[in-house]
Amino acid sequence: MFDGLKDKLSGFTSDVEEDVDDDALEAEDEPDADEADGEAPADQAADAEPATDAQSSEDDTQAAAAEPTAESDQPQTGSEPPAADSEAIDEPATASSTAVEDADEVPEEASQSDDTAVTDDDSASEADSESEEDDDGGRGLAAKAKLMATGKTVIEEEDLQSHLDDLELALLSSDVEMSVANEILDGVKENLTGQTRRRLSSTGNLVRDALRESLYDVINVGQFDFDERVQQADKPVTIVFTGVNGVGKTTSIAKLAQYFEERGLSTVLANGDTYRAGANEQLEKHAENLDKKIITHEQGSDPTAVVYDAVEYAKANDIDVVLGDTAGRLHTSDDLMAQLEKIDRNIDPDMTLFVDEAVAGQDAVNRAREFNDAAEIDGAILTKADADPQGGAAISVAHVTGKPILFLGTGQDYGDLEPFDPEEIVDSLIGE
Ligand SMILES: Nc1nc2c(ncn2[C@@H]2O[C@H](COP(=O)(O)OP(=O)(O)OP(=O)(O)O)[C@@H](O)[C@H]2O)c(=O)[nH]1
């Protein structure tokens, strides 16, 4: 599942990490920088010495960054001029840099300067480094060397931008929707260069974490606890399914019937697809396989009447959930929209779920947007994720519709339905 995308994302993280390492090595190759500034190397070594109390040092540093006027014997960040004991960098500024740490944990809420992500939990000289940058508007070689000595590494912003361009291409070629790709890129850049809003546990690798957080933000949109909502709703719960023909809508309804049974909830199926010849037989086959009651009417009859009858049946027989199929005609069909509106008006379903196939990529994303615009959906099921190397639809649908993906279809068996867990998906894409 999504193997092509996984490879591309892994290419991005390793390329950036390589550049980070290269920059760090370059910095290391310039040991004379401070000496040329008239600095005693011993000063630098002393500055670079890890604090004896790493935690309190980190706290101090964060406090200093957050409150520039706070009393501290360390140089202040922000608009404060460097304190007298800060290391002077006479060297001309190199291109503006982004400092990233490639090891250790990142603090929950690292408060940092706008163009720098400096995070460290064992350094006493973070504020020194930041003030040096403020001092000369860029990070000099001495500062790079110092970052290296404190376990930090650096990447030039222009290098990062070229990686971001590669990432954009990778995302677009994996069928990620353009606005979603841009959102991911902005997120990665912000996570690498600005204040980190950490929502996932750290992998200890800042580049990978930046990408994970950014992906998580776009695919986690609108998530709610589907099981809890169904369990807590008044019974019967009515769920109506929309989506075009052939994407796996009928199969998904059958899979959900089994899913509910495994959670102690009974179901009745309703074939509201009265338009297509053979639709009754198709759903009947699933109902027979799963030993479920099914309500059908003749082809051409009113779909609302079918779902209505199923709801009545559920009330009379103490059935928990009504699963109603609808005709899979194209969303541009006024008939279809009128049909859904009529079901909405007369039955007021608890949820309308949009079903499409992950393998349809951009087409699935566009259809999700259009269906949601025409007849508001509550969530989506993406089928055939098992056959999709791209992952573009899985990443884009929630952000584009504002409604969550709730399940992935992962095969043709009834058990092949997986709740969509954004954190798990991100971990499987990026690696934990
Ligand atoms: N590999 C794979 N195949 C699936 C999945 N879900 C459904 N299919 C297959 O996709 C084909 C179409 O599924 P249907 O359930 O008939 O599709 P539908 O949307 O109901 O189609 P209509 O009834 O024509 O509207 C069937 O062969 C299913 O077995 C899935 O998650 N993975």
Side-chain angles (χ1 to χ4, degrees):
M1 192 162 72
F2 313 146
D3 283 343
L5 181 58
K6 275 182 209 169
D7 289 347
K8 289 172 190 167
L9 296 178
S10 141
F12 166 76
T13 51
S14 54
D15 285 354
V16 178
E17 281 155 23
E18 227 169 73
D19 258 17
V20 165
D21 289 340
D22 286 351
D23 281 348
L25 286 174
E26 275 170 29
E28 197 180 30
D29 285 344
E30 302 283 347
D32 294 332
D34 284 339
E35 288 168 56
D37 293 338
E39 293 253 341
D43 286 351
Q44 182 188 325
D47 272 354
E49 201 82 62
T52 47
D53 180 349
Q55 187 54 51
S56 80
S57 145
E58 178 191 330
D59 292 344
D60 287 348
T61 305
Q62 286 182 32
E67 295 174 49
T69 54
E71 256 188 48
S72 164
D73 59 2
Q74 293 209 7
Q76 304 295 312
T77 56
S79 55
E80 288 284 309
D85 67 345
S86 95
E87 202 175 348
I89 304 295
D90 300 332
E91 207 171 333
T94 57
S96 131
S97 305
T98 301
V100 298
E101 175 198 31
D102 63 354
D104 301 332
E105 291 287 312
V106 179
E108 275 290 316
E109 287 283 332
S111 183
Q112 294 148 357
S113 66
D114 279 351
D115 63 346
T116 312
V118 180
T119 51
D120 201 352
D121 60 3
D122 64 357
S123 164
S125 57
E126 180 169 305
D128 287 9
S129 306
E130 288 183 359
S131 69
E132 282 159 10
E133 186 180 51
D134 290 344
D135 202 26
D136 65 4
R139 196 174 297 286
L141 289 174
K144 284 185 181 181
K146 188 168 174 181
L147 282 170
M148 183 68 191
T150 56
K152 294 167 187 162
T153 51
V154 290
I155 182 169
E156 304 294 341
E157 255 181 26
E158 65 197 37
D159 288 344
L160 180 59
Q161 189 52 53
S162 84
H163 291 303
L164 290 174
D165 292 344
D166 291 345
L167 178 61
E168 181 177 21
L169 263 183
L171 292 171
L172 294 180
S173 67
S174 291
D175 262 352
V176 174
E177 207 263 351
M178 173 78 88
S179 69
V180 180
N182 287 334
E183 186 81 15
I184 293 169
L185 294 172
D186 288 350
V188 169
K189 193 167 179 187
E190 192 181 325
N191 287 336
L192 278 175
T193 63
Q195 189 166 319
T196 304
R197 188 160 50 95
R198 183 154 301 294
R199 299 173 66 180
L200 303 170
S201 59
S202 171
T203 63
N205 177 313
L206 198 67
V207 179
R208 207 177 310 160
D209 279 350
L211 186 53
R212 278 170 82 232
E213 295 276 343
S214 187
L215 280 170
Y216 180 77
D217 282 345
V218 296
I219 70 172
N220 189 47
V221 173
Q223 279 291 326
F224 61 85
D225 189 329
F226 176 81
D227 287 355
E228 192 179 273
R229 189 177 287 189
V230 171
Q231 291 284 1
Q232 288 179 356
D234 290 342
K235 305 295 183 297
V237 176
T238 305
I239 306 177
V240 167
F241 297 81
T242 66
V244 296
N245 280 336
V247 296
K249 197 154 39 83
T250 312
T251 309
S252 296
I253 290 170
K255 287 176 176 178
L256 266 178
Q258 173 158 309
Y259 178 90
F260 283 127
E261 182 168 317
E262 286 165 2
R263 283 153 185 79
L265 295 169
S266 53
T267 52
V268 55
L269 312 188
N271 181 37
D273 181 0
T274 55
Y275 183 79
R276 184 172 62 88
N280 276 349
E281 291 72 21
Q282 193 188 350
L283 197 59
E284 269 164 1
K285 184 93 182 84
H286 288 304
E288 194 184 311
N289 291 345
L290 294 164
D291 197 18
K292 297 290 167 199
K293 172 74 180 170
I294 178 169
I295 306 292
T296 59
H297 287 192
E298 282 175 10
Q299 192 185 347
S301 56
D302 182 358
T304 304
V306 184
V307 182
Y308 184 88
D309 280 358
V311 173
E312 290 303 303
Y313 176 88
K315 284 179 184 164
N317 294 277
D318 226 7
I319 302 287
D320 298 310
V321 185
V322 175
L323 299 173
D325 201 359
T326 62
R329 276 170 292 159
L330 272 175
H331 47 278
T332 44
S333 155
D334 289 345
D335 270 4
L336 172 66
M337 290 312 149
Q339 201 180 91
L340 288 173
E341 274 165 26
K342 191 169 174 190
I343 292 176
D344 255 5
R345 245 191 345 267
N346 290 283
I347 292 160
D348 190 20
D350 295 271
M351 279 186 234
T352 299
L353 299 186
F354 170 75
V355 183
D356 214 313
E357 50 189 12
V359 284
Q362 277 284 353
D363 287 344
V365 178
N366 293 336
R367 286 194 290 254
R369 180 194 282 117
E370 288 162 17
F371 265 86
N372 186 50
D373 286 349
E376 200 177 342
I377 62 169
D378 294 284
I381 298 179
L382 271 191
T383 65
K384 307 179 194 178
D386 51 306
D388 177 28
Q390 307 281 47
I395 286 180
S396 309
V397 162
H399 191 265
V400 162
T401 59
K403 306 295 162 49
I405 296 174
L406 296 170
F407 292 96
L408 290 179
T410 54
Q412 293 188 289
D413 294 335
Y414 294 128
D416 293 332
L417 183 75
E418 289 179 15
F420 186 86
D421 178 335
E423 194 165 341
E424 262 177 33
I425 295 287
V426 169
D427 283 342
S428 86
L429 285 173
I430 311 283
E432 290 178 68

